[in-house]
Structure formats: C-alpha cells, structure tokens
Amino acid sequence: MPGLLAGIGTWIADRWLQTVVLSGMLWVATLVVAARLGQSHAFEAERLHTWLDEIATHRAGDSPAAILLTVAAALLTAGAAGLAAGGLGALLQRLWGADGAGPALAWLLRWRLRWWQRWYSERALRAVTADLAEADPAAATARRARAERALRLRTEREPHRPTRIGDALHAVAVRLRARYALNVDLAWPRLWAVLPDPLRADLSGARAAYDSAARLAGWGVLYAALAVLWWPAALIGAGVLVTAVARARGAAAVLASLVEAAVDLHLTDLADQLGVRPDSDELTELGRAVGRRLGPPTPS
C-alpha cells in the first residue's frame, strides 16, 4: 500500500507539473512582460533588457532569500493561474454543451439558425438557377438529386444547440434515443461497467483530450485578459482560443462516436447483465426493456 500511494503521489505531481506549473509559468512570464512593456511600448524589448540588468546589479539580486521568495511567488502565481484556467475550462465545457435555455444562448442559437437557413437558401437558389440553365436533362436530374440530398442533410445537421460542439453531442443522444428508445444518460453508468477495457481506455482518452482542449481555452481567456496591460496579449489569447476550439470540436466528435459505438456494441451485454429480455428483436424494444429495468431517473 505505501508503494501504491507513493506511485499515485508521483503521478499526481507529474500531472500537476505538466498541466499547471509549466503552463502557468509561461503565463506568468507573459504577465511580467505585459507589466513591464505596457501599451505604449508593446515591442520595445530593450526595456526588458534594461530591467533585467537592473535586477542583476541590484543588491536584492544577490540575496538567496529574495531569490527564493521570488521563485515561490512565481510558482504560487502559476499554480493559481492553472487552477483558474481549469475552472474556466470547466465553465466553457458547460457553455459548449448548453441547450440554449438562457437569453444569451438562445440568441446565439437563433443567430446560428438564421445563418444556416440563409446559407442553404442560397445554395438551393443556385441549384435552381443551374437547373434552368442546364440543357442536358440527365445532368439536370443529377443536379436535382444532389440538391435533394443537400436538403436532407440540412434537416439532419441543422443547429439545435448554441455551439457546434453541443450539436455533435446532442446529435448522438437524439440518434440513440430514436434507435433504442432509451435514456442514455440513465443507462450510461451501468453500461460503463460492462464495457471492455480497450473501449474504456479509448473513451477515457477522448474525454481527456476534450478536457485538455477546454483547459487550453481557459488559458486563452487568461492570456486575452492581459490585453488590459499589453495589447499583443489579445492576439496571443485569440490564437490559443482558436486552437483550443478546433481541438475541442475534434475531441467531441471522437467522444460522441465512441459513445454511440459503445451503446451499439454493448447494450445487449447490459441487458444480459440486468437479466432483461425484450419481447421482440426490435432495437427499440431492447432499449425499452433496459429502461424499464432501470426505472425513471431519481429526481434531484
């Protein structure tokens, strides 16, 4: 047991060092640069050089106590920034997966819907114009078929959440509910218990990648906040946020696909473990049988 606890402690320390301290020290360095350069001297590196020379020649620079206090303050600030980035990342995850109930999120959803409908209306108008100008009946028929497929895709991919990440997660829940008539949120903790280890590892890795992208977005917000002191920090924050959102979309798509695959492949195993037998071979009946065995969600 002591060896196990020591191993866990080492792993936690390594994770804390990688995800919090190193990223936090980079942010602290940017904070120092922002504070020294300011808005009016954004790119005057000579000011930094002069300041560092003053520190090196100052008596406090030769004091071990002053150096230790400075290092301790930098580590504490880096740790606090890392915790703040993690908290902002968790908040952004809730925002990405929100259903648009609030006023701001509802406005964002309406904006996405208007943009989506306008984009598809313009595509449909171009397709109709091309059909009228098309002399070859076979080519016109093929173009109309492509337009019909595009309209079907519109109904499938039309925004239902304020963000694209929320749409990806929501679409999986809708498909599984339509396929199995099952509340996946209710069944998932039990389903996790019967999943094989390789699939669990894949799901954990996808979730870790999603959490990491959200934490990176939190760092982007913290970098953007430094624009109050140093305007180039806004460019850094914007770059970090764009990268984080792109990573989060990819991770969410992978996570959603793995969740759907887990339900498709192992819902029967869950039914066997629960000892339920559907009345027919229909997938919806399988989901209903599992849902009846689990019962309604417990009210909070």
Side-chain angles (χ1 to χ4, degrees):
M1 181 61 70
L4 176 61
L5 293 177
I8 293 174
T10 302
W11 180 82
I12 292 175
D14 290 341
R15 292 287 296 173
W16 184 78
L17 179 65
Q18 294 174 7
T19 61
V20 176
V21 175
L22 293 180
S23 300
M25 289 301 293
L26 183 59
W27 185 84
V28 169
T30 307
L31 172 62
V32 172
V33 171
R36 295 306 305 177
L37 295 183
Q39 303 288 11
S40 57
H41 306 282
F43 296 106
E44 292 186 13
E46 185 63 27
R47 292 172 62 89
L48 283 177
H49 187 272
T50 303
W51 177 63
L52 292 175
D53 286 342
E54 291 175 355
I55 293 177
T57 56
H58 197 270
R59 290 177 57 187
D62 298 329
S63 171
I67 294 174
L68 286 177
L69 286 174
T70 302
V71 171
L75 288 175
L76 288 174
T77 305
L83 293 176
L88 288 171
L91 182 63
L92 287 171
Q93 285 190 46
R94 295 188 62 180
L95 174 64
W96 291 338
D99 58 1
L105 294 176
W107 175 87
L108 181 58
L109 177 57
R110 289 194 300 269
W111 178 84
R112 291 192 68 214
L113 280 171
R114 286 196 299 269
W115 180 87
W116 185 264
Q117 292 166 356
R118 185 181 304 113
W119 185 71
Y120 265 101
S121 297
E122 291 176 356
R123 286 189 63 186
L125 179 60
R126 288 197 299 267
V128 171
T129 304
D131 285 343
L132 293 176
E134 187 66 56
D136 186 2
T141 301
R143 190 181 295 275
R144 280 194 295 270
R146 288 195 298 269
E148 290 173 359
R149 285 195 299 271
L151 289 175
R152 285 197 299 271
L153 287 176
R154 172 189 173 179
T155 59
E156 295 175 1
R157 301 178 183 177
E158 185 174 357
H160 296 279
R161 290 292 186 269
T163 66
R164 289 175 60 181
I165 295 174
D167 279 334
L169 301 176
H170 173 70
V172 171
V174 170
R175 287 198 300 270
L176 291 175
R177 186 179 293 274
R179 191 179 305 155
Y180 298 104
L182 177 68
N183 185 346
V184 180
D185 292 336
L186 176 63
W188 182 253
R190 287 85 168 179
L191 183 63
W192 177 263
V194 302
L195 294 181
D197 290 339
L199 184 53
R200 283 188 186 182
D202 291 340
L203 283 162
S204 298
R207 182 54 197 254
Y210 183 58
D211 293 342
S212 177
R215 187 166 52 251
L216 182 62
W219 282 115
V221 174
L222 290 182
Y223 277 109
L226 295 180
V228 176
L229 302 174
W230 187 52
W231 67 262
L235 303 179
I236 299 175
V240 173
L241 277 172
V242 169
T243 303
V245 171
R247 289 184 181 180
R249 287 175 179 172
V254 172
L255 181 61
S257 298
L258 287 173
V259 168
E260 188 171 8
V263 175
D264 289 336
L265 296 175
H266 298 284
L267 184 59
T268 303
D269 297 338
L270 176 61
D272 292 339
Q273 292 291 329
L274 293 174
V276 300
R277 295 292 182 271
D279 297 332
S280 66
D281 294 334
E282 295 291 333
L283 295 178
T284 54
E285 185 55 37
L286 172 65
R288 290 192 183 97
V290 171
R292 288 193 296 269
R293 176 65 178 82
L294 297 179
T298 302
S300 57

